[in-house]
């Protein structure tokens, strides 16, 4: 065995040291370059700030109607008032010469300052950011800062107001909507928003090769879209439909110059291309975050934050801890976390804590399969509802942070009929109703009708512990009345397959919400066939008639009256056991000001700001 | 040796064919639909009409139906998939709308770096641990190390991960580490060294979770192997020659004991690319484990199929590499 340090060993050692030295030197060089880049980016930021100030001055000149004439600055008194009127021929006309400012906007507050970053959590990393093609909620949150539509919804009145459009006009029969686009509106690349861009966006949406089938469904009633000149777009419809304005007015407008494609497949695959006319630019998307930066060319009121960053923290515990450590600026806590932290002395003082209901929130329900003999009659279904104490569910499982539902419409939505009162928890009355429905107690302690015991299975998604707990409670309640309910948790996709194939007695799920929903999808008898959403087979001629009337009624007040009648029928029939809608919860870092919920949308990030002294990031 | 390698490579073909067949069958016959549209948040469903249209697109992309909407039989579906895989097209994710290879490219560096560091830590602790315990067989240090490493081995990752997160990344207890992600939010202002330090600071807790279970297994293997080698004649000979004890231990015993490690290391290589679903979920790391997990939940069949296929191929190659390494490490091992 040769233990000497030979020449070969010496050469190897020298080589190794040389490699290590080279690596260290390369890193040091890289570090030096990095420092230079950071210094340069600081200078670029200063330049951007100067550009921002100039844009702001220009916008103020435009907003206050100042005109430069013969070298002098002169104010004009042009009375450019907002118009919202119905003309004698029945045409509905709305015109806003200036884009509407958000209610409670912070611009006039003495401590208002631009700057700082807003760091929020998106939960799951979005699959794609391609407009129309993306499906997840996170993607739509990001797109909401970068892309805009012709109209926007007022958070207080919930009415659609002109945004990229200066005005819109709905024909008396509701079959034609004409939009006029603002002159000032432009995309972040400097190109003006034109009628051609709206037409391009519509054509992209309707292109069968584009993977946007779920959204395209809503445009089925659009007959044509026509661009007239640079700034006028006319949409015509096959039938009058109350959601027509929302559907076309809410369409994201894409710049044709950026998104044009030859094959639809090209459009689908541009998952990282996001350009629009919105207040922020899409900067980068790494494995840990999405970064948006302020659009210096924005045509509307200049946005407050220099950057908006979305991180992807799926674990609610980790997200809350990141919020507490200042790594996130907001956090929507779980109900249990809300109770724990808001009880702590000092927490509420050092953080903004908000809980609120929004009309867009969905609701949870139990669907009965009305084709099964045990659920065929209304009395039995009403009795089942009386056996479950929904207030106790809300208090015990949701810590009181929810509201009971009295039908398929959110309590805050104008669709909701406040006269419909919730069926109260009354086991004695429920037993009487079951008796009237023909159920008699068997020798085994289980109710029977026509020799068949009252036994059924409820399907529920296996990854939802809240739903599982509620089902266990319901099982106990039903057992007391002699009803045997077995609980079957299933993986979500398997459960959906069973519901589609109508292989269920009952299932527990939720529907996502909307400010004004079209009940056709879930409640019309025609929606049972072909794996439609009326899985329980609710079939009521009067309800069908009201749905048909409501969908074609363009007058909001008359339509709401129809929906109110419809809701009363549905609640009386109890095809679902309507359970609750959860309140939204939000913790916000104390350095943000003007964060209080606005109208029915909850806190609006666009209204928030950080006073100069409290700003954390440059 | 060359003949042996060629023979092994040829034998891989039928094995791979069998694997692809199994994979295809398992994935196709699993119940449930692809649910990229129906994001399951609190059990909220999306519009059913939309889901139906979605389903039709999925069926076309998965070659379940042809261009005219007519169903394709299962055997044909299998051959179409096999053909495109053999041509190097690993398929496109139904949910992400991106080729599976691109998805792997995005996530592999994240998982690979963490796992490589974790593996290095495990070896750095277990090799001396195994050696020391073997040399002190039956003494307190041997028993103590064995007890602690086995105790760690028996702790479930999900519990320890949540506990570490709850105590060491919590401003209410010890706010020592970040609770999620691999970087801070303002990395743009960091110099290179600061950036590396920030990364290392972020991966401390995930690395702790990845390594603690590995100590016991590896140390015990090395300890056993060293004890076995210490009884061999060549050790007695080396001592009889008058070699210093340190030379006997390091040059002879330890080196020979490492032969067993070739198998262990080789088998753990495919796992390096797999990533831990639980650790990545707890610490919000976007790696391969999370990709496999979310793809399974949303029934993203091309991703599930291709990830499993890549894993299978790597395992086969690692088996071959282990055999070759044996020959290189110990010339007495001859396969021809």
């Amino acid at each position: 065995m040769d233990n000497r340090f030979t020449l070969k060993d010496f050469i190897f050692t020298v080589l190794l040291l040389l490699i290590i030295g080279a690596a260290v030197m390369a890193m040091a060089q890289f570090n030096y370059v990095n420092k230079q880049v950071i210094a340069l980016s600081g200078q670029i930021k200063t330049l951007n700030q100067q550009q921002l100030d100039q844009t702001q001055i220009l916008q103020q000149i435009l907003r206050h109607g100042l005109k430069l004439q013969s070298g002098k600055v002169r104010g004009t008194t042009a009375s450019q008032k907002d118009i919202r009127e119905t003309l004698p021929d029945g045409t509905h006309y709305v015109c806003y010469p200036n884009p509407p400012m958000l209610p409670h906007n912070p611009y006039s507050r003495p401590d208002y300052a631009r700057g700082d970053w807003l760091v929020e959590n998106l939960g799951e990393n979005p699959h794609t950011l391609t407009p129309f093609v993306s499906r997840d909620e996170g993607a739509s949150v990001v797109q909401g800062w970068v892309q805009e539509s012709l109209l926007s919804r007022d958070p207080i009145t919930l009415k659609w107001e002109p945004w990229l459009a200066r005005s819109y006009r709905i024909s008396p029969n509701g079959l034609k909507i004409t939009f006029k686009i603002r002159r000032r509106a432009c995309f972040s690349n400097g190109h003006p928003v034109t009628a051609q861009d709206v037409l391009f966006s519509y054509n992209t949406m309707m292109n069968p090769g584009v993977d946007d089938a779920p959204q395209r469904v809503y445009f089925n009633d659009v007959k044509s879209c026509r661009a007239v000149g640079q700034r006028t777009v006319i949409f015509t419809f096959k039938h009058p439909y109350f959601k027509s304005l929302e559907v076309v007015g809410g369409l994201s407008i894409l710049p044709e110059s950026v998104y044009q494609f030859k094959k639809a497949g090209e459009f689908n695959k541009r998952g990282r291309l996001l350009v629009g006319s919105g207040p922020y630019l899409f900067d980068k998307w790494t494995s840990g975050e999405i970064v948006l930066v302020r659009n210096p060319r924005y045509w509307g009121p200049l946005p407050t934050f220099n950057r908006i960053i979305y991180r992807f923290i799926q674990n609610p515990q980790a997200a809350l801890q990141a919020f507490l450590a200042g790594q996130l600026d907001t956090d929507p806590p779980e109900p249990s976390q809300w109770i724990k932290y808001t009880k702590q002395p000092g927490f509420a003082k050092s953080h903004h804590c908000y809980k609120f209901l929004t009309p867009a929130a969905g609701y949870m329900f139990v669907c009965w399969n009305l084709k099964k003999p045990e659920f065929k009659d209304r009395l039995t279904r009403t009795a089942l509802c009386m056996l479950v104490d929904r207030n106790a569910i809300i208090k015990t499982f949701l810590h009181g942070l929810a509201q009971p539902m009295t039908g398929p419409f959110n309590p805050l939505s104008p669709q909701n009929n406040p006269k419909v009162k919730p069926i109260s928890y009354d086991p004695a009355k429920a037993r009487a109703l079951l008796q009237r429905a023909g159920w008699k107690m068997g020798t085994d302690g289980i109710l029977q009708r026509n020799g068949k015991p009252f036994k059924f299975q409820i399907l529920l998604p296996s990854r939802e512990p809240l739903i599982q707990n509620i089902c266990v409670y319901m099982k106990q309640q039903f057992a007391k009345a002699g009803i045997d309910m077995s609980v079957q948790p299933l993986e979500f996709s398997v459960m959906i397959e069973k519901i589609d194939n109508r292989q269920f007695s009952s299932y527990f799920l939720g529907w996502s919400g909307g400010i004004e929903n079209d009940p056709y999808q879930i409640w019309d008898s025609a929606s049972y066939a072909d794996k439609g959403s009326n899985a329980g087979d609710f079939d009521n001629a009067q309800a069908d008639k009201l749905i048909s009337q409501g969908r074609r009624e363009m007058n909001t007040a008359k339509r709401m009256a129809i929906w109110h009648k419809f809701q009363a029928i549905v609640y009386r029939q109890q095809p679902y056991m309507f359970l609750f809608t959860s309140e939204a919860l939000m913790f916000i870092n104390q350095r943000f000001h003007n964060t209080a919920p606005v109208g029915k949308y909850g806190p609006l990030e666009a209204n928030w700001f950080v006073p100069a002294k409290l700003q954390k990031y440059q | 040796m060359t003949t042996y390698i060629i023979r092994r490579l040829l034998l891989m073909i039928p094995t791979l064919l069998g694997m692809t067949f199994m994979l295809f069958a398992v994935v196709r016959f699993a119940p449930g639909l692809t649910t990229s549209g129906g994001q399951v948040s609190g059990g909220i469903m999306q519009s059913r009409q939309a889901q139906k249209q979605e389903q039709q697109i999925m069926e076309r992309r998965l070659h379940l139906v042809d261009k005219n909407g007519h169903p394709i039989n299962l055997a044909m579906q299998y051959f179409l998939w096999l053909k495109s895989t053999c041509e190097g097209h690993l398929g496109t994710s139904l949910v992400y709308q991106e080729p599976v290879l691109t998805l792997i490219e995005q996530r592999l560096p994240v998982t690979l770096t963490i796992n490589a560091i974790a593996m290095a830590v495990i070896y750095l602790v277990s090799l001396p641990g195994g050696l020391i315990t073997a040399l002190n067989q039956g003494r307190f240090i041997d028993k103590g190390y064995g007890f602690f490493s086995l105790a760690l081995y028996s702790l479930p990752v999900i519990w320890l991960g949540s506990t570490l997160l709850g105590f060491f990344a919590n401003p209410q207890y010890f706010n020592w580490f970040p609770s999620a992600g691999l970087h801070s939010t303002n990395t743009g202002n960091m110099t290179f060294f600061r950036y590396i330090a920030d990364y290392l600071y972020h991966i401390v807790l995930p690395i702790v979770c990845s390594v603690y279970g590995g100590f016991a297994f590896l140390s015990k293997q090395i300890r056993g192997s060293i004890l076995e080698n210490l009884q061999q004649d060549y050790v007695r000979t080396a001592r009889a020659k008058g070699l210093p004890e340190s030379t006997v231990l390091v040059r002879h015993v330890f080196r020979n004991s490492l032969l067993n490690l070739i198998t262990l290391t080789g088998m753990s290589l495919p796992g390096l690319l797999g990533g831990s679903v639980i650790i990545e979920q707890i610490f919000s790391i976007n790696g391969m484990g999370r990709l496999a997990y979310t793809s399974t939940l949303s029934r993203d069949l091309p991703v599930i199929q291709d990830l499993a296929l890549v894993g299978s191929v790597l395992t086969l190659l690692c088996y071959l590499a282990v055999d070759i390494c044996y020959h290189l490490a110990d010339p007495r091992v001859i396969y021809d």
Side-chain angles (χ1 to χ4, degrees), chain B residues 53-94:
Chain B
Q53 295 218 8
E54 185 103 318
Q55 192 61 28
Q56 287 166 354
I57 296 172
M58 300 294 176
E59 283 176 352
R60 237 187 359 254
R61 285 223 214 112
L62 279 170
H63 305 300
L64 302 182
V65 291
D66 61 16
K67 280 178 187 167
N68 303 321
H70 301 307
I72 300 175
N73 66 43
L74 267 178
M76 198 60 195
Q77 286 176 27
Y78 172 65
F79 283 114
L80 281 175
W81 172 60
L82 206 60
K83 185 173 159 262
S84 59
T85 309
C86 290
E87 284 167 358
H89 305 300
L90 268 190
T92 304
S93 157
L94 299 177

Side-chain angles (χ1 to χ4, degrees), chain A residues 192-226:
Chain A
V193 179
T194 64
Q196 197 54 40
D197 292 308
V198 179
L199 183 63
F200 168 76
S201 308
Y202 169 75
N203 286 338
T204 306
M205 172 64 82
M206 298 311 285
N207 188 324
V210 171
D211 280 344
D212 59 353
Q215 292 197 56
R216 203 183 308 135
V217 172
Y218 297 108
F219 289 77
N220 282 348
D221 282 340
V222 182
K223 195 170 161 190
S224 70
C225 171
R226 202 154 44 94

Side-chain angles (χ1 to χ4, degrees), chain B residues 1 4 14 23 26 70 76 88 95 97 106 123 254 271 336:
Chain B
M1 193 66 193
Y4 173 75
L23 269 175
V26 167
H70 301 307
M76 198 60 195
V95 177
Q97 305 269 0
Q106 286 165 3
Y123 276 82
F254 194 59
D336 288 325

